[in-house]
């Protein structure tokens, strides 16, 4: 929405944004499929349209399937065997993509833009793709492919006599050879494409992926789909809301403390939060205290109330938070989601069962601070290295700095 606002600069920004929210579908695909002749652009574009239920826009659809304001003018150039001007192509594309079906369902732009001027004109009209697929293959392969290309005049699907021949006899009978299939014509188009390709690559390099078209179509389509389903990470600032999962002994608490210290976010451990509520004698703490004293699990509704209250505190809302110890199951995760406490980063710590048992068997807890530390960290030699003291008292009762991990030898 901000991108559209900066491009169009409307007199009434509020009304413009309201209309944008009513009309635009920001999740709809906006994809360009580019490449030299016979690289498979049409096959890829039509397959993406079927997969996403999007609208395919190409030379053929703009000239022969759409009734646009400047269609007749473009056809006139075509009939005179003259090159259609870039500005005319840009106007046709802009008019087509502004229709409701393209806005709602998204669009797959096949073969556009063809050069730098077209790309600039589309950008000035507010048309910028989220993903650009650039197909490539050796020229010898492309020239060979062009000779076997066949077109279905009803569906506009492209087939090949060697690589992709239809199994339906009716389809086979109605296939026709596309125009300009001579080797000389294909070589001329390839030369023009190679001349324009570097400029287009430079414009779309941040959203572009080159895919080798000289491989089975199934592999090409799988690579294209994997790319267009990725979301580009925004550089806009955001409040971190981090969730750590993992079995006991996986290091969630330690990593949460390190993350909180490095990025200045609030470290929230669910177990520690319950103990603090009991120690502070809050209303929720009084309800939680009997469960903690008896060693029984605290009901989810009480934990969620306490957690919601803490996550809605000013420091969490402004600095962000890292949460460990909750949720522990699917039901708790659904409750957290209903409370609108959705994380934007989730990490799962995984390690073998043997490592978990080894870590837990060597874990010791400081009764004063409640911090846990591995038994191996209490060795006298290590503590001498850390503190510079040869005192047995120091070895048995390390300082809080040692317990917290600061200065620990790697």
């Amino acid at each position: 929405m901000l991108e559209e606002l900066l491009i169009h600069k409307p007199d009434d920004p509020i009304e413009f944004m309201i209309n944008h929210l009513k009309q635009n579908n920001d999740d709809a695909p906006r994809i360009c499929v580019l490449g030299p002749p016979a690289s498979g652009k049409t096959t890829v574009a039509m397959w993406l349209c079927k997969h996403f239920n999007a609208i395919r826009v190409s030379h053929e659809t703009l000239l022969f399937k759409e009734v646009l304001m400047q269609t007749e003018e473009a056809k006139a150039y075509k009939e005179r065997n003259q090159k259609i001007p870039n500005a005319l192509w840009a106007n046709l594309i802009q008019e087509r993509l502004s229709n409701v079906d393209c806005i709602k369902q998204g669009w797959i732009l096949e073969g556009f833009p063809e050069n730098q001027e077209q790309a600039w004109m589309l950008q000035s009209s507010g048309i910028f793709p989220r993903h650009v697929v650039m197909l490539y293959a050796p020229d010898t392969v492309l020239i060979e492919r062009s000779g076997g290309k066949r077109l279905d005049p009803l569906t506009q699907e492209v087939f090949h006599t060697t690589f992709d021949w239809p199994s339906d006899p009716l389809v086979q009978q109605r296939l026709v050879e596309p125009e300009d299939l001579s080797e000389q014509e294909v070589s001329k188009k390839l030369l023009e494409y190679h001349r324009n390709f570097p400029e287009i690559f430079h414009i779309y390099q941040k959203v572009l992926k080159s895919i080798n078209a000289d491989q089975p179509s199934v592999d090409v389509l799988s690579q294209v789909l994997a790319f267009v389903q990725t979301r580009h990470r925004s550089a806009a600032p955001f409040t971190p809301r981090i969730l750590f999962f993992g079995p006991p002994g996986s290091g969630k608490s330690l990593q949460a403390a390190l993350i909180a210290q490095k990025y200045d976010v609030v470290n929230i451990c669910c177990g520690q939060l319950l103990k603090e509520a009991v120690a502070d004698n809050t209303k929720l703490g009084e309800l939680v205290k009997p469960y903690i004293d008896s060693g029984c699990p605290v009901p989810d509704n009480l934990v969620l109330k306490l957690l919601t209250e803490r996550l809605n505190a000013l420091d969490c809302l402004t600095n962000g938070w890292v949460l460990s110890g909750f949720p522990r199951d699917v039901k708790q995760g659904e409750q957290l989601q209903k409370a609108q406490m959705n994380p934007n980063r989730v990490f799962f710590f995984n390690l073998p069962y043997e490592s978990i048992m080894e870590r837990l068997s060597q874990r010791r807890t400081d009764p004063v601070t409640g911090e846990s530390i591995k038994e191996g960290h209490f060795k006298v030699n290590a503590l001498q290295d850390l503190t510079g003291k040869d005192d047995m008292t120091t070895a048995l009762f390390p300082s809080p700095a040692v317990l917290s991990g600061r200065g620990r030898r790697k």
Side-chain angles (χ1 to χ4, degrees):
M1 182 164 59
L2 180 60
E3 179 183 294
E4 296 287 324
L5 198 64
L6 292 173
I7 291 171
H8 294 286
K9 296 183 176 66
D11 295 332
D12 188 350
I14 302 299
E15 185 65 26
F16 179 86
M17 289 188 287
I18 292 173
N19 292 331
H20 174 91
L21 293 173
K22 288 180 179 179
Q23 296 178 4
N24 279 32
N25 181 4
D26 291 327
D27 293 328
R30 300 204 304 247
I31 304 169
C32 283
V33 181
L34 307 177
S39 59
K41 299 187 297 295
T42 303
T43 301
V44 170
M46 296 189 71
W47 186 83
L48 288 174
C49 288
K50 291 179 181 178
H51 185 85
F52 291 110
N53 192 28
I55 306 301
R56 172 174 164 259
V57 180
S58 66
H59 292 78
E60 292 77 21
T61 60
L62 289 174
L63 292 178
F64 304 111
K65 288 190 174 182
E66 306 292 343
V67 182
L68 304 173
M69 292 178 61
Q70 295 179 298
T71 300
E72 295 301 325
E73 183 180 352
K75 285 183 178 179
Y77 279 98
K78 189 78 172 177
E79 292 171 357
R80 296 194 299 266
N81 292 323
Q82 295 178 348
K83 186 177 179 180
I84 299 176
N86 291 324
L88 185 54
W89 276 126
N91 291 335
L92 289 172
I93 294 171
Q94 181 185 4
E95 184 181 353
R96 182 66 187 92
L97 298 187
S98 63
N99 290 349
V100 177
D101 56 348
C102 287
I103 294 174
K104 294 295 184 183
Q105 298 173 237
W107 44 263
I108 312 295
L109 202 55
E110 177 197 328
F112 290 109
E114 298 175 303
N115 49 54
Q116 186 185 60
E117 186 180 2
Q118 283 186 12
W120 284 348
M121 288 180 174
L122 294 178
Q123 280 189 4
S124 63
S125 302
I127 299 170
F128 195 88
R130 291 196 183 97
H131 300 88
V132 176
V133 176
M134 184 72 74
L135 303 174
Y136 70 91
D139 288 354
T140 54
V141 174
L142 298 173
I143 293 173
E144 182 183 357
R145 280 188 181 182
S146 298
K149 185 188 292 186
R150 297 294 182 268
L151 181 67
D152 186 343
L154 293 181
T155 63
Q156 295 297 317
E157 289 188 82
V158 177
F159 297 93
H160 196 277
T161 55
T162 304
F163 305 110
D164 185 22
W165 192 247
S167 57
D168 190 348
L170 296 176
V171 177
Q172 296 176 9
Q173 293 175 6
R174 66 173 183 253
L175 293 182
V176 297
E177 291 187 12
E179 299 177 0
D180 302 330
L181 273 182
S182 66
E183 185 173 333
Q184 185 178 1
E185 288 292 332
V186 175
S187 300
K188 183 179 178 180
K189 290 182 178 180
L190 284 173
L191 183 63
E192 183 179 0
Y193 171 80
H194 290 310
R195 186 168 58 248
N196 295 321
F197 166 74
E199 298 171 342
I200 298 176
F201 182 87
H202 180 72
I203 293 174
Y204 294 122
Q205 58 182 336
K206 291 186 178 180
V207 295
L208 182 144
K209 182 177 177 61
S210 298
I211 295 176
N212 183 10
D214 187 18
Q215 53 182 327
S217 58
V218 176
D219 295 334
V220 174
L221 295 175
S222 63
Q223 292 178 41
V224 170
L225 183 61
F227 169 62
V228 299
Q229 286 181 331
T230 60
R231 285 182 172 269
H232 300 291
R233 181 174 295 179
S234 172
F238 67 97
T239 303
R241 300 188 298 272
I242 308 167
L243 199 58
F244 282 170
F245 285 112
S250 58
K252 301 186 297 296
S253 301
L254 174 61
Q255 296 301 324
L258 295 174
I259 289 290
Q261 182 179 3
K262 181 173 182 179
Y263 296 104
D264 194 26
V265 298
V266 182
N267 182 15
I268 300 176
C269 176
C270 190
Q272 189 65 26
L273 193 64
L274 294 172
K275 294 177 183 177
E276 290 176 0
V278 173
D280 294 340
N281 293 321
T282 62
K283 292 183 179 180
L284 284 174
E286 293 176 359
L287 298 174
V288 169
K289 188 175 185 304
Y291 296 97
I292 293 182
D293 292 342
S294 62
C296 297
V298 181
D300 291 348
N301 60 335
L302 294 179
V303 177
L304 195 64
K305 285 182 181 179
L306 189 64
L307 201 58
T308 303
E309 183 179 322
R310 183 66 186 93
L311 295 179
N312 283 325
L314 183 60
D315 57 346
C316 289
L317 293 176
T318 54
N319 297 339
W321 45 263
V322 51
L323 172 62
S324 58
F326 190 93
R328 296 178 180 270
D329 53 41
V330 176
K331 184 179 179 181
Q332 290 181 353
E334 292 174 349
Q335 290 176 343
L336 193 68
Q337 192 174 22
K338 288 180 181 178
Q340 300 300 318
M341 299 298 170
N342 296 318
N344 47 33
R345 296 290 186 277
V346 179
F347 297 91
F348 183 82
F349 296 85
N350 193 18
L351 69 164
Y353 176 78
E354 294 78 9
S355 300
I356 296 175
M357 295 305 297
E358 181 184 358
R359 289 188 180 188
L360 293 179
S361 62
Q362 296 180 5
R363 177 181 284 184
R364 298 294 181 269
T365 304
D366 185 344
V368 178
T369 63
E371 292 187 76
S372 298
I373 192 170
K374 197 174 178 180
E375 184 180 11
H377 293 154
F378 286 97
K379 290 183 178 179
V380 176
N381 292 338
L383 291 171
Q384 288 176 358
D385 292 341
L386 292 171
T387 63
K389 297 180 180 180
D390 193 14
D391 186 1
M392 184 59 69
T393 306
T394 305
L396 294 176
F397 302 100
S399 65
V402 174
L403 280 173
S404 62
R406 292 191 292 272
R408 183 179 298 162
R409 187 175 64 177
K410 294 182 180 179

